[in-house]
């Protein structure tokens, strides 16, 4: 049973309690945990949905998770990835929403070998696409795998006798991990 101050720190909402449970599982030695915060598919009423519920709940609970893992000496051995399935259109639609936009999105990584407190990459002024070359989902996957100690370029032999790589076209994002440049 968690003390009331911990329940309050993580938030008395579904995501807060899920993040607290995930943190407890990590503390207990569970090696892979997934937490969901649904509702980001904001094709309508985007700004009210984000401002009233999604962003405040995420900010509170995610900060509590990072702080607690750090306080208990576990952040350096825990790799965290936060992402959605799509970016959002730079233009608001007729329902005050934002639709799917594959040209640009964001992700967040923390813990393990991730250099904290930085932003890598960016978008054009109107968020229409990457400012520069950008990164691919395979780059993000390669970075995450590298952060948990899996060589993303490793080849394994399939049961049909041909090689298969873990990540075909991705590379670790330069500057993201302290042990990789």
């Amino acid at each position: 049973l968690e003390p009331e101050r911990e329940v309050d720190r993580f938030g008395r909402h579904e995501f807060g309690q899920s993040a607290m449970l995930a943190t407890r599982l990590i503390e207990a030695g569970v090696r892979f945990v997934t937490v969901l915060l649904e509702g980001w598919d904001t094709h309508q009423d985007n700004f009210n949905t984000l401002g009233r519920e999604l962003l405040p709940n995420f900010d509170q609970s995610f900060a509590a998770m990072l702080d607690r893992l750090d306080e208990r000496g576990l952040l350096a051995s825990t790799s965290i990835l936060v992402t959605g399935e799509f970016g959002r259109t730079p233009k608001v639609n007729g329902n005050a929403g934002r639709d799917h936009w594959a040209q640009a999105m964001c992700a967040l990584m923390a813990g393990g070998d991730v250099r904290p407190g930085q932003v890598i990459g960016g978008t054009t002024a109107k968020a229409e696409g990457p400012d520069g070359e950008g990164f691919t989902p395979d780059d993000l996957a390669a970075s995450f795998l590298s952060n948990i100690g899996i060589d993303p370029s490793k080849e394994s032999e399939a049961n049909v006798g041909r090689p298969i790589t873990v990540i075909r076209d991705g590379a670790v994002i330069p500057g993201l991990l302290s042990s990789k440049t």
Side-chain angles (χ1 to χ4, degrees):
L1 192 63
E2 291 286 342
E4 290 296 311
R5 70 181 184 282
E6 280 299 288
V7 176
D8 290 337
R9 175 162 84 154
F10 278 86
R12 293 181 181 270
H13 43 79
E14 184 177 354
F15 182 66
Q17 296 307 288
S18 297
M20 186 170 61
L21 176 58
T23 305
R24 290 181 69 179
L25 289 168
I26 293 164
E27 291 166 351
V30 174
R31 295 179 53 105
F32 195 92
V33 180
T34 300
V35 181
L36 297 176
L37 176 56
E38 297 179 315
W40 297 91
D41 207 12
T42 55
H43 295 281
Q44 59 190 15
D45 200 25
N46 177 75
F47 300 101
N48 287 322
T49 303
L50 292 175
R52 267 190 271 112
E53 187 174 333
L54 291 172
L55 292 173
N57 289 354
F58 175 79
D59 288 348
Q60 176 186 17
S61 306
F62 188 67
M65 177 183 237
L66 291 177
D67 286 346
R68 181 155 151 179
L69 290 171
D70 190 45
E71 290 162 5
R72 304 214 174 161
L74 294 169
L75 189 56
S77 62
T78 303
S79 182
I80 299 169
L81 173 63
V82 178
T83 188
E85 87 286 22
F86 267 104
R88 291 286 158 191
T89 52
K91 294 183 181 180
V92 177
N93 68 26
N95 295 316
R98 293 174 67 200
D99 298 315
H100 296 160
W101 189 254
Q103 291 83 342
M105 65 179 290
C106 65
L108 184 154
M109 283 185 66
D113 240 1
V114 173
R115 290 180 177 153
Q118 62 178 336
V119 174
I120 298 176
T123 63
T124 59
K126 294 184 179 181
E128 296 163 324
D131 183 15
E133 190 172 322
F135 304 104
T136 67
D138 279 356
D139 294 333
L140 182 61
S143 300
F144 180 75
L145 289 171
S146 183
N147 198 32
I148 62 172
I150 296 173
D151 179 0
S153 63
K154 179 180 168 124
E155 284 190 354
S156 298
E157 193 162 309
N159 61 358
V160 293
R162 64 181 225 199
I164 296 176
T165 55
V166 175
I167 301 293
R168 182 171 294 170
D169 296 320
V172 174
I173 296 170
L176 178 64
L177 305 178
S178 59
S179 65
K180 313 282 186 223
T181 54

mmCIF file of all heavy atoms in Angstrom, residues 20-46:
data_model
loop_
_atom_site.group_PDB
_atom_site.id
_atom_site.type_symbol
_atom_site.label_atom_id
_atom_site.label_comp_id
_atom_site.label_asym_id
_atom_site.label_seq_id
_atom_site.Cartn_x
_atom_site.Cartn_y
_atom_site.Cartn_z
ATOM 1 N N MET A 20 2.197 4.902 -11.253
ATOM 2 C CA MET A 20 2.698 4.487 -9.946
ATOM 3 C C MET A 20 2.871 2.971 -9.901
ATOM 4 O O MET A 20 3.885 2.468 -9.399
ATOM 5 C CB MET A 20 1.753 4.941 -8.831
ATOM 6 C CG MET A 20 2.300 4.660 -7.445
ATOM 7 S SD MET A 20 1.367 5.440 -6.106
ATOM 8 C CE MET A 20 -0.230 4.675 -6.314
ATOM 9 N N LEU A 21 1.916 2.231 -10.456
ATOM 10 C CA LEU A 21 2.040 0.774 -10.495
ATOM 11 C C LEU A 21 3.246 0.365 -11.347
ATOM 12 O O LEU A 21 4.011 -0.524 -10.967
ATOM 13 C CB LEU A 21 0.769 0.139 -11.036
ATOM 14 C CG LEU A 21 0.796 -1.376 -11.224
ATOM 15 C CD1 LEU A 21 1.111 -2.094 -9.914
ATOM 16 C CD2 LEU A 21 -0.527 -1.858 -11.805
ATOM 17 N N ALA A 22 3.424 1.019 -12.490
ATOM 18 C CA ALA A 22 4.579 0.720 -13.347
ATOM 19 C C ALA A 22 5.881 0.954 -12.589
ATOM 20 O O ALA A 22 6.816 0.155 -12.670
ATOM 21 C CB ALA A 22 4.536 1.575 -14.613
ATOM 22 N N THR A 23 5.933 2.038 -11.831
ATOM 23 C CA THR A 23 7.124 2.344 -11.045
ATOM 24 C C THR A 23 7.369 1.263 -9.994
ATOM 25 O O THR A 23 8.499 0.804 -9.801
ATOM 26 C CB THR A 23 6.984 3.732 -10.389
ATOM 27 O OG1 THR A 23 6.714 4.702 -11.405
ATOM 28 C CG2 THR A 23 8.245 4.129 -9.640
ATOM 29 N N ARG A 24 6.317 0.833 -9.363
ATOM 30 C CA ARG A 24 6.451 -0.244 -8.358
ATOM 31 C C ARG A 24 6.928 -1.536 -9.012
ATOM 32 O O ARG A 24 7.729 -2.280 -8.435
ATOM 33 C CB ARG A 24 5.121 -0.468 -7.649
ATOM 34 C CG ARG A 24 4.751 0.694 -6.733
ATOM 35 C CD ARG A 24 3.465 0.453 -6.019
ATOM 36 N NE ARG A 24 3.674 -0.638 -5.049
ATOM 37 C CZ ARG A 24 2.736 -1.084 -4.229
ATOM 38 N NH1 ARG A 24 1.529 -0.551 -4.263
ATOM 39 N NH2 ARG A 24 2.983 -2.053 -3.388
ATOM 40 N N LEU A 25 6.424 -1.832 -10.201
ATOM 41 C CA LEU A 25 6.875 -3.036 -10.911
ATOM 42 C C LEU A 25 8.363 -2.951 -11.240
ATOM 43 O O LEU A 25 9.103 -3.929 -11.091
ATOM 44 C CB LEU A 25 6.045 -3.247 -12.182
ATOM 45 C CG LEU A 25 4.600 -3.682 -11.957
ATOM 46 C CD1 LEU A 25 3.809 -3.580 -13.265
ATOM 47 C CD2 LEU A 25 4.522 -5.089 -11.390
ATOM 48 N N ILE A 26 8.812 -1.773 -11.674
ATOM 49 C CA ILE A 26 10.243 -1.575 -11.960
ATOM 50 C C ILE A 26 11.048 -1.759 -10.682
ATOM 51 O O ILE A 26 12.086 -2.426 -10.667
ATOM 52 C CB ILE A 26 10.484 -0.190 -12.600
ATOM 53 C CG1 ILE A 26 9.838 -0.132 -13.992
ATOM 54 C CG2 ILE A 26 11.978 0.121 -12.678
ATOM 55 C CD1 ILE A 26 9.690 1.275 -14.545
ATOM 56 N N GLU A 27 10.568 -1.190 -9.593
ATOM 57 C CA GLU A 27 11.245 -1.341 -8.305
ATOM 58 C C GLU A 27 11.344 -2.809 -7.887
ATOM 59 O O GLU A 27 12.309 -3.216 -7.244
ATOM 60 C CB GLU A 27 10.511 -0.539 -7.223
ATOM 61 C CG GLU A 27 10.621 0.954 -7.406
ATOM 62 C CD GLU A 27 9.640 1.744 -6.551
ATOM 63 O OE1 GLU A 27 8.740 1.149 -5.919
ATOM 64 O OE2 GLU A 27 9.792 2.978 -6.515
ATOM 65 N N ALA A 28 10.350 -3.598 -8.281
ATOM 66 C CA ALA A 28 10.325 -5.027 -7.931
ATOM 67 C C ALA A 28 11.156 -5.872 -8.892
ATOM 68 O O ALA A 28 11.270 -7.081 -8.701
ATOM 69 C CB ALA A 28 8.888 -5.524 -7.904
ATOM 70 N N GLY A 29 11.714 -5.258 -9.937
ATOM 71 C CA GLY A 29 12.593 -5.983 -10.848
ATOM 72 C C GLY A 29 11.969 -6.410 -12.163
ATOM 73 O O GLY A 29 12.608 -7.104 -12.952
ATOM 74 N N VAL A 30 10.731 -6.015 -12.430
ATOM 75 C CA VAL A 30 10.118 -6.339 -13.717
ATOM 76 C C VAL A 30 10.902 -5.615 -14.807
ATOM 77 O O VAL A 30 11.221 -4.434 -14.687
ATOM 78 C CB VAL A 30 8.619 -5.951 -13.738
ATOM 79 C CG1 VAL A 30 8.012 -6.151 -15.115
ATOM 80 C CG2 VAL A 30 7.860 -6.761 -12.689
ATOM 81 N N ARG A 31 11.209 -6.320 -15.879
ATOM 82 C CA ARG A 31 12.147 -5.791 -16.877
ATOM 83 C C ARG A 31 11.495 -5.030 -18.023
ATOM 84 O O ARG A 31 12.164 -4.315 -18.750
ATOM 85 C CB ARG A 31 13.000 -6.925 -17.406
ATOM 86 C CG ARG A 31 13.880 -7.506 -16.292
ATOM 87 C CD ARG A 31 14.714 -8.649 -16.768
ATOM 88 N NE ARG A 31 15.482 -8.322 -17.944
ATOM 89 C CZ ARG A 31 16.786 -8.093 -17.953
ATOM 90 N NH1 ARG A 31 17.475 -8.162 -16.845
ATOM 91 N NH2 ARG A 31 17.402 -7.833 -19.074
ATOM 92 N N PHE A 32 10.202 -5.190 -18.238
ATOM 93 C CA PHE A 32 9.548 -4.455 -19.324
ATOM 94 C C PHE A 32 8.131 -4.121 -18.888
ATOM 95 O O PHE A 32 7.361 -5.015 -18.546
ATOM 96 C CB PHE A 32 9.519 -5.287 -20.610
ATOM 97 C CG PHE A 32 9.205 -4.485 -21.832
ATOM 98 C CD1 PHE A 32 10.226 -3.941 -22.596
ATOM 99 C CD2 PHE A 32 7.903 -4.248 -22.210
ATOM 100 C CE1 PHE A 32 9.948 -3.186 -23.724
ATOM 101 C CE2 PHE A 32 7.601 -3.492 -23.333
ATOM 102 C CZ PHE A 32 8.636 -2.959 -24.095
ATOM 103 N N VAL A 33 7.798 -2.841 -18.890
ATOM 104 C CA VAL A 33 6.492 -2.375 -18.442
ATOM 105 C C VAL A 33 5.955 -1.389 -19.478
ATOM 106 O O VAL A 33 6.700 -0.553 -19.996
ATOM 107 C CB VAL A 33 6.602 -1.662 -17.066
ATOM 108 C CG1 VAL A 33 5.244 -1.182 -16.604
ATOM 109 C CG2 VAL A 33 7.248 -2.564 -16.027
ATOM 110 N N THR A 34 4.675 -1.485 -19.771
ATOM 111 C CA THR A 34 4.022 -0.549 -20.681
ATOM 112 C C THR A 34 2.887 0.146 -19.935
ATOM 113 O O THR A 34 2.123 -0.500 -19.229
ATOM 114 C CB THR A 34 3.427 -1.290 -21.903
ATOM 115 O OG1 THR A 34 4.484 -1.958 -22.592
ATOM 116 C CG2 THR A 34 2.734 -0.332 -22.851
ATOM 117 N N VAL A 35 2.791 1.459 -20.111
ATOM 118 C CA VAL A 35 1.704 2.237 -19.528
ATOM 119 C C VAL A 35 1.027 2.994 -20.668
ATOM 120 O O VAL A 35 1.704 3.593 -21.505
ATOM 121 C CB VAL A 35 2.222 3.243 -18.479
ATOM 122 C CG1 VAL A 35 1.077 4.032 -17.877
ATOM 123 C CG2 VAL A 35 3.010 2.534 -17.397
ATOM 124 N N LEU A 36 -0.291 2.976 -20.695
ATOM 125 C CA LEU A 36 -1.043 3.672 -21.737
ATOM 126 C C LEU A 36 -1.757 4.888 -21.169
ATOM 127 O O LEU A 36 -2.280 4.835 -20.058
ATOM 128 C CB LEU A 36 -2.093 2.749 -22.349
ATOM 129 C CG LEU A 36 -1.599 1.508 -23.070
ATOM 130 C CD1 LEU A 36 -2.781 0.674 -23.530
ATOM 131 C CD2 LEU A 36 -0.722 1.877 -24.242
ATOM 132 N N LEU A 37 -1.777 5.947 -21.942
ATOM 133 C CA LEU A 37 -2.631 7.104 -21.673
ATOM 134 C C LEU A 37 -3.378 7.357 -22.963
ATOM 135 O O LEU A 37 -2.825 7.902 -23.926
ATOM 136 C CB LEU A 37 -1.819 8.330 -21.251
ATOM 137 C CG LEU A 37 -2.619 9.614 -21.029
ATOM 138 C CD1 LEU A 37 -3.738 9.404 -20.012
ATOM 139 C CD2 LEU A 37 -1.704 10.736 -20.589
ATOM 140 N N GLU A 38 -4.602 6.908 -22.999
ATOM 141 C CA GLU A 38 -5.386 6.995 -24.235
ATOM 142 C C GLU A 38 -6.098 8.337 -24.344
ATOM 143 O O GLU A 38 -6.198 9.090 -23.379
ATOM 144 C CB GLU A 38 -6.389 5.842 -24.272
ATOM 145 C CG GLU A 38 -5.696 4.496 -24.319
ATOM 146 C CD GLU A 38 -6.647 3.328 -24.330
ATOM 147 O OE1 GLU A 38 -7.609 3.332 -23.545
ATOM 148 O OE2 GLU A 38 -6.415 2.424 -25.141
ATOM 149 N N GLY A 39 -6.567 8.638 -25.548
ATOM 150 C CA GLY A 39 -7.345 9.844 -25.777
ATOM 151 C C GLY A 39 -6.640 10.918 -26.576
ATOM 152 O O GLY A 39 -7.160 12.015 -26.747
ATOM 153 N N TRP A 40 -5.452 10.620 -27.104
ATOM 154 C CA TRP A 40 -4.674 11.617 -27.837
ATOM 155 C C TRP A 40 -5.162 11.804 -29.274
ATOM 156 O O TRP A 40 -4.695 12.702 -29.973
ATOM 157 C CB TRP A 40 -3.194 11.226 -27.860
ATOM 158 C CG TRP A 40 -2.599 11.202 -26.499
ATOM 159 C CD1 TRP A 40 -2.532 10.131 -25.658
ATOM 160 C CD2 TRP A 40 -2.013 12.292 -25.799
ATOM 161 N NE1 TRP A 40 -1.932 10.492 -24.478
ATOM 162 C CE2 TRP A 40 -1.599 11.810 -24.540
ATOM 163 C CE3 TRP A 40 -1.785 13.628 -26.111
ATOM 164 C CZ2 TRP A 40 -0.973 12.619 -23.591
ATOM 165 C CZ3 TRP A 40 -1.158 14.424 -25.163
ATOM 166 C CH2 TRP A 40 -0.763 13.927 -23.935
ATOM 167 N N ASP A 41 -6.062 10.980 -29.725
ATOM 168 C CA ASP A 41 -6.562 11.062 -31.095
ATOM 169 C C ASP A 41 -7.597 12.188 -31.179
ATOM 170 O O ASP A 41 -8.791 11.964 -31.333
ATOM 171 C CB ASP A 41 -7.160 9.713 -31.501
ATOM 172 C CG ASP A 41 -7.095 9.463 -32.990
ATOM 173 O OD1 ASP A 41 -6.399 10.207 -33.698
ATOM 174 O OD2 ASP A 41 -7.747 8.514 -33.445
ATOM 175 N N THR A 42 -7.126 13.406 -31.067
ATOM 176 C CA THR A 42 -7.981 14.583 -30.877
ATOM 177 C C THR A 42 -8.380 15.222 -32.206
ATOM 178 O O THR A 42 -7.941 16.320 -32.536
ATOM 179 C CB THR A 42 -7.273 15.613 -29.985
ATOM 180 O OG1 THR A 42 -5.995 15.911 -30.572
ATOM 181 C CG2 THR A 42 -7.072 15.082 -28.586
ATOM 182 N N HIS A 43 -9.234 14.526 -32.941
ATOM 183 C CA HIS A 43 -9.739 15.068 -34.206
ATOM 184 C C HIS A 43 -10.752 16.194 -33.966
ATOM 185 O O HIS A 43 -11.132 16.886 -34.894
ATOM 186 C CB HIS A 43 -10.379 13.959 -35.039
ATOM 187 C CG HIS A 43 -9.403 12.922 -35.477
ATOM 188 N ND1 HIS A 43 -8.552 13.104 -36.536
ATOM 189 C CD2 HIS A 43 -9.121 11.691 -34.974
ATOM 190 C CE1 HIS A 43 -7.793 12.028 -36.692
ATOM 191 N NE2 HIS A 43 -8.115 11.157 -35.757
ATOM 192 N N GLN A 44 -11.178 16.328 -32.724
ATOM 193 C CA GLN A 44 -12.072 17.434 -32.377
ATOM 194 C C GLN A 44 -11.739 17.916 -30.963
ATOM 195 O O GLN A 44 -11.212 17.167 -30.150
ATOM 196 C CB GLN A 44 -13.541 17.011 -32.457
ATOM 197 C CG GLN A 44 -13.897 15.854 -31.556
ATOM 198 C CD GLN A 44 -15.284 15.323 -31.849
ATOM 199 O OE1 GLN A 44 -15.868 15.629 -32.882
ATOM 200 N NE2 GLN A 44 -15.814 14.541 -30.946
ATOM 201 N N ASP A 45 -12.007 19.166 -30.695
ATOM 202 C CA ASP A 45 -11.799 19.771 -29.378
ATOM 203 C C ASP A 45 -10.388 19.516 -28.839
ATOM 204 O O ASP A 45 -10.193 19.261 -27.649
ATOM 205 C CB ASP A 45 -12.867 19.266 -28.397
ATOM 206 C CG ASP A 45 -13.023 20.187 -27.201
ATOM 207 O OD1 ASP A 45 -12.707 21.392 -27.317
ATOM 208 O OD2 ASP A 45 -13.431 19.696 -26.129
ATOM 209 N N ASN A 46 -9.397 19.587 -29.713
ATOM 210 C CA ASN A 46 -8.013 19.286 -29.386
ATOM 211 C C ASN A 46 -7.488 20.064 -28.184
ATOM 212 O O ASN A 46 -6.960 19.488 -27.241
ATOM 213 C CB ASN A 46 -7.145 19.574 -30.614
ATOM 214 C CG ASN A 46 -5.674 19.355 -30.370
ATOM 215 O OD1 ASN A 46 -5.211 18.237 -30.298
ATOM 216 N ND2 ASN A 46 -4.932 20.451 -30.245
#
